[in-house]
Amino acid sequence: MMRKVKMLIVTVVLISAVFSVLFSLSVALHAPHQCMQEATAEAQAEAAQSGESVGAAGNEGNESVGILVIAHGSPRETWCEPVREVVRSVASELPYPVELGFLEFVPNETINIAVDRLNEHNVTKIVAVPLFISSHSGHIEEIKYVLRLRETPPESEMLTFVEGEPVRRSVLAVEGKCIIRREYLTPALTVKHTEEEELVPVNTTAEIVLTNALDNSSLLAQTLAENAAELISNAENETVVFASHGTFNASYFEEWIADHELLAEQIKLILRHRKGIPIEDVRFGFIHLPVVDNETVHPELGLRAVVENVSVNSTPVVVANMVSVGFFTKKYIPMLLENLTYKYNGSKALCPHENMVKWVEISANREISTFVLQIYDYDGETLLNITIEEVGEYHGEICPCVASAFRATQLALSKFEKPVRGDIEVICAHPSRGHKHTFEYIFGSENLRIELPAGTDIVNLSVENYAYTFIQKSSGYEVHVEAREDIFPERFFDLRKKCKTGTATPEEKKAFKYAKEDLKSAFLYLPEARVFVYNVTIAAPSVEIWTDKQTYHPFDTMSVGLGVTNPGVEPFRCRFAIWLEMRRYGVNFLIVYRHVTLPANLNYSTPAFLRFKLPYILPGTYVWHAAIFDPTTGELVSHDAAEWQFGW
């Protein structure tokens, strides 16, 4: 009976003590809210007054950008549709309006119509990307005329094929107009019938920038290497020959040769050192060659001559370096190589390969991207604009590591409401100087930690090292950013290790140099979603409870401390509970269990949430518990316990 009385005394005394401060609990939990609201309002007013957004800065000024992809065109839908597929993919990934215009043959999808559509978006700048094999072409001059990048019509004449028919194609000025005239010829080269299209300069006030064509692009080399790899079965005895249109214009021909020599070198290195295919060699041949004074220029570079030459000691593997599948890939190349032995797939061209999507994106973003990030200085008031050029100067160059770290930082800062130097800590998984210098320059060395994944070091790296965690100390927000595995060239880390350990051959060193440039371009110019994956972790509210001592005796004063935090930027609705456990007797007394709204950025702490004299109670182990529960699911969000002893 006495035992029950004493337990009752414990219950009454402690519950009375708790309820005496329950009102103060509610006030204490909500008191910081008003101050936080005032601080938030002040920050919002400051941002509105400055007119500046914080985090990643986009294109300069208030430019409204549009992307215009230009292709040659064909009467056949089967040629045009793979090009459209590429452009649709680009449009789904870039945050700008994207339109496709054909130079000829497609009257409902002309360059002019595409520009008119971009005008509807009120663009002030148009980046035109010519999906052509070479920048050194009469077609590019025609495009320049249509885009008002040259004043005079580019007059020319050439013999070509349209749908297998021989055609004399002329560009000429007629009565103040620029006309494309196509004269369809008989086998005797007499004119059967004629078609004409007018090249009309576009009507726009937007600035127009024309990028280079594919030329010697690494992504072009990678695509040709992949297409060749599908045909190779006996690499040591096979030679890749990639076939291009070429040009009739002798003034362009040396540039074609120079670009193709670089392409051949890249394709060979990609096959040998990224794909592990020990191909004998890579050559190129042209369908069209210029003729000067009745003499063919470089006849040894004609496609048939190259394949014949290769056939002496090796099996030719022919791949088409052409934008889309059509007459030239399916019929003309086989006709040129009639009676020769070679491997070839006439149903394979460049579009709609994923690399062509990447190439358009990179080409456009080279003209658009401005690598600036915004962060407040340590005082929390001065807004800084930090460029990648500044970071590159601090490090010594803009290498792939600087590019990755900078782009990852742009992404992360865009997720924080107000990023401030000194308030953000970075955990980097990469040990390179490029990463270290980038994060030091932006955040300060005191806010950088390098934590390497198990099994990695400066020599032995993997994709896991391209991972970064950005922690905002004031809010508890964390942004974790990782580079996508498919952004890295094949065998990148193997080649890197060989170069670092001094075991790479000269050819492997050259292959790694190309791979580094590819990786740098990808980090800098591909859309963010192609480069990184990320997640934002919002720090959950937490509760802490403690006592001022661990052992008490009758008539001692007990102080129970309580801490409650909500690091989030939004109020948090929860159920708040406090209870006392009599461990020896397996009894729990629920003291508080109620709905509470924790204000945003709450950081409440008091060492004397409860303070009272202890009477004679049963000796033993007691435990104070405090917990926060999700009000809907009942899931435990945070819990803490403070154990104490009572003795006589």
Side-chain angles (χ1 to χ4, degrees):
M1 182 67 180
M2 182 60 68
R3 179 177 170 182
K4 292 181 179 179
V5 171
K6 289 181 178 179
M7 289 177 65
L8 181 60
I9 291 172
V10 171
T11 305
V12 171
V13 170
L14 294 181
I15 289 179
S16 298
V18 170
F19 271 88
S20 69
V21 295
L22 199 54
F23 177 76
S24 62
L25 166 66
S26 177
V27 173
L29 289 175
H30 290 79
H33 190 37
Q34 183 176 357
C35 295
M36 186 53 59
Q37 283 182 321
E38 292 172 357
T40 302
E42 184 179 345
Q44 290 173 340
E46 178 184 345
Q49 187 174 7
S50 68
E52 295 173 308
S53 59
V54 183
N59 49 297
E60 294 182 10
N62 294 315
E63 277 186 336
S64 176
V65 177
I67 310 299
L68 170 63
V69 181
I70 302 174
H72 187 188
S74 167
R76 280 191 178 271
E77 279 293 298
T78 52
W79 191 98
C80 297
E81 187 54 31
V83 176
R84 295 191 188 105
E85 188 176 333
V86 167
V87 176
R88 283 194 292 267
S89 295
V90 172
S92 70
E93 295 178 8
L94 291 185
Y96 313 105
V98 179
E99 295 292 341
L100 168 63
F102 292 105
L103 177 63
E104 59 180 322
F105 294 117
V106 192
N108 295 324
E109 294 176 82
T110 64
I111 297 172
N112 303 77
I113 292 172
V115 169
D116 289 343
R117 288 173 177 163
L118 292 175
N119 286 337
E120 292 173 4
H121 291 275
N122 298 314
V123 299
T124 57
K125 180 176 183 177
I126 295 173
V127 178
V129 182
L131 190 47
F132 284 73
I133 297 300
S134 177
S135 300
H136 314 291
S137 159
H139 292 322
I140 298 299
E141 296 306 311
E142 294 162 19
I143 290 168
K144 288 180 181 178
Y145 175 76
V146 174
L147 297 180
R148 295 184 180 274
L149 298 178
R150 62 171 287 166
E151 295 182 3
T152 58
E155 297 189 65
S156 64
E157 183 178 307
M158 62 183 290
L159 188 65
T160 185
F161 291 89
V162 176
E163 293 295 279
E165 292 189 63
V167 172
R168 183 185 296 115
R169 182 186 186 275
S170 305
V171 179
L172 58 161
V174 178
E175 298 179 354
K177 297 179 180 180
C178 183
I179 301 294
I180 297 177
R181 178 174 294 161
R182 293 186 292 271
E183 296 173 308
Y184 289 78
L185 307 176
T186 66
L189 299 184
T190 58
V191 177
K192 291 194 299 183
H193 66 277
T194 301
E195 294 176 346
E196 289 187 352
E197 286 187 51
E198 184 180 358
L199 292 179
V200 180
V202 296
N203 181 20
T204 183
T205 59
E207 174 196 2
I208 299 178
V209 176
L210 181 65
T211 74
N212 288 334
L214 285 159
D215 296 336
N216 56 45
S217 158
S218 175
L219 285 164
L220 172 57
Q222 292 172 48
T223 308
L224 294 172
E226 286 187 24
N227 290 350
E230 294 178 3
L231 298 171
I232 295 169
S233 59
N234 184 18
E236 293 87 347
N237 298 307
E238 294 175 340
T239 297
V240 173
V241 179
F242 60 99
S244 299
H245 280 289
T247 178
F248 290 111
N249 192 324
S251 64
Y252 295 138
F253 197 46
E254 292 304 317
E255 284 87 355
W256 276 78
I257 293 172
D259 283 337
H260 279 58
E261 286 174 345
L262 284 172
L263 277 175
E265 179 183 63
Q266 291 182 77
I267 294 167
K268 183 176 179 178
L269 292 172
I270 290 166
L271 288 171
R272 291 171 68 89
H273 300 292
R274 296 193 196 179
K275 297 186 176 296
I277 300 174
I279 194 70
E280 175 68 19
D281 199 5
V282 176
R283 304 272 298 277
F284 58 88
F286 298 112
I287 292 174
H288 301 311
L289 296 171
V291 177
V292 177
D293 297 330
N294 295 320
E295 293 285 335
T296 301
V297 178
H298 287 295
E300 75 281 2
L301 294 180
L303 180 59
R304 184 176 180 91
V306 173
V307 172
E308 285 179 334
N309 180 267
V310 166
S311 298
V312 175
N313 298 307
S314 181
T315 300
V317 176
V318 179
V319 291
N321 183 24
M322 297 181 183
V323 169
S324 194
V325 171
F327 167 75
F328 282 94
T329 61
K330 287 191 170 182
K331 294 184 178 180
Y332 197 71
I333 289 176
M335 183 180 71
L336 280 180
L337 303 180
E338 190 175 5
N339 299 323
L340 298 181
T341 300
Y342 61 97
K343 292 182 175 182
Y344 178 64
N345 181 359
S347 298
K348 203 83 170 181
L350 300 179
C351 292
H353 198 286
E354 183 73 6
N355 284 340
M356 294 299 99
V357 178
K358 294 179 182 178
W359 176 79
V360 172
E361 292 171 342
I362 288 175
S363 297
N365 279 328
R366 282 186 193 277
E367 300 296 333
I368 298 168
S369 300
T370 55
F371 296 103
V372 181
L373 59 81
Q374 296 178 317
I375 186 170
Y376 285 92
D377 209 348
Y378 293 99
D379 59 12
E381 297 180 358
T382 306
L383 186 61
L384 304 174
N385 292 294
I386 299 175
T387 69
I388 197 170
E389 287 77 19
E390 294 174 54
V391 177
E393 185 177 351
Y394 179 72
H395 173 59
E397 64 172 327
I398 300 175
C399 62
C401 290
V402 169
S404 176
F406 194 92
R407 286 283 310 270
T409 301
Q410 283 186 307
L411 191 165
L413 294 191
S414 70
K415 307 304 173 186
F416 295 132
E417 185 173 353
K418 184 179 180 179
V420 180
R421 273 180 166 172
D423 187 38
I424 295 176
E425 180 183 22
V426 181
I427 302 172
C428 174
H430 201 296
S432 75
R433 290 173 65 252
H435 280 89
K436 181 174 180 287
H437 287 166
T438 301
F439 292 130
E440 277 183 354
Y441 190 87
I442 298 169
F443 299 105
S445 58
E446 71 279 8
N447 293 301
L448 172 63
R449 280 190 283 152
I450 306 294
E451 296 182 2
L452 303 186
T456 66
D457 53 46
I458 192 63
V459 173
N460 300 285
L461 295 180
S462 73
V463 66
E464 293 181 2
N465 293 98
Y466 290 79
Y468 323 98
T469 301
F470 301 81
I471 304 168
Q472 190 173 47
K473 302 170 190 176
S474 60
S475 69
Y477 272 35
E478 294 186 9
V479 181
H480 185 72
V481 182
E482 295 181 3
R484 290 185 176 274
E485 188 170 1
D486 59 5
I487 197 98
F488 295 90
E490 295 168 281
R491 303 194 176 189
F492 176 82
F493 295 105
D494 291 338
L495 286 169
R496 181 187 182 278
K497 183 175 180 179
K498 286 184 176 183
C499 291
K500 287 289 183 182
T501 57
T503 60
T505 65
E507 194 172 87
E508 287 172 330
K509 290 178 183 178
K510 186 173 286 187
F512 182 61
K513 182 179 178 181
Y514 277 119
K516 280 180 65 177
E517 284 302 312
D518 292 348
L519 184 61
K520 175 182 168 180
S521 292
F523 275 134
L524 287 176
Y525 300 116
L526 282 179
E528 184 180 276
R530 278 192 180 271
V531 180
F532 298 114
V533 292
Y534 74 93
N535 63 74
V536 179
T537 302
I538 301 174
S542 63
V543 64
E544 184 181 9
I545 194 166
W546 66 93
T547 58
D548 60 335
K549 298 190 298 184
Q550 289 188 321
T551 303
Y552 296 89
H553 299 92
F555 306 115
D556 283 352
T557 297
M558 169 178 274
S559 292
V560 182
L562 182 69
V564 183
T565 65
N566 174 23
V569 294
E570 298 291 339
F572 187 85
R573 179 80 170 159
C574 65
R575 277 196 175 273
F576 190 85
I578 297 177
W579 68 95
L580 179 67
E581 175 189 358
M582 296 178 64
R583 183 160 291 174
R584 180 176 177 182
Y585 303 101
V587 177
N588 290 281
F589 296 96
L590 185 61
I591 311 296
V592 178
Y593 187 64
R594 58 175 294 182
H595 282 286
V596 175
T597 298
L598 306 179
N601 296 292
L602 174 67
N603 187 15
Y604 168 77
S605 180
T606 177
F609 166 69
L610 293 176
R611 185 176 175 84
F612 54 89
K613 286 186 180 293
L614 285 166
Y616 276 96
I617 57 177
L618 292 175
T621 301
Y622 293 78
V623 185
W624 285 107
H625 292 270
I628 296 172
F629 297 93
D630 185 290
T632 304
T633 65
E635 180 182 354
L636 179 66
V637 175
S638 179
H639 168 259
D640 193 32
E643 183 179 296
W644 50 281
Q645 306 292 324
F646 187 84
W648 291 348

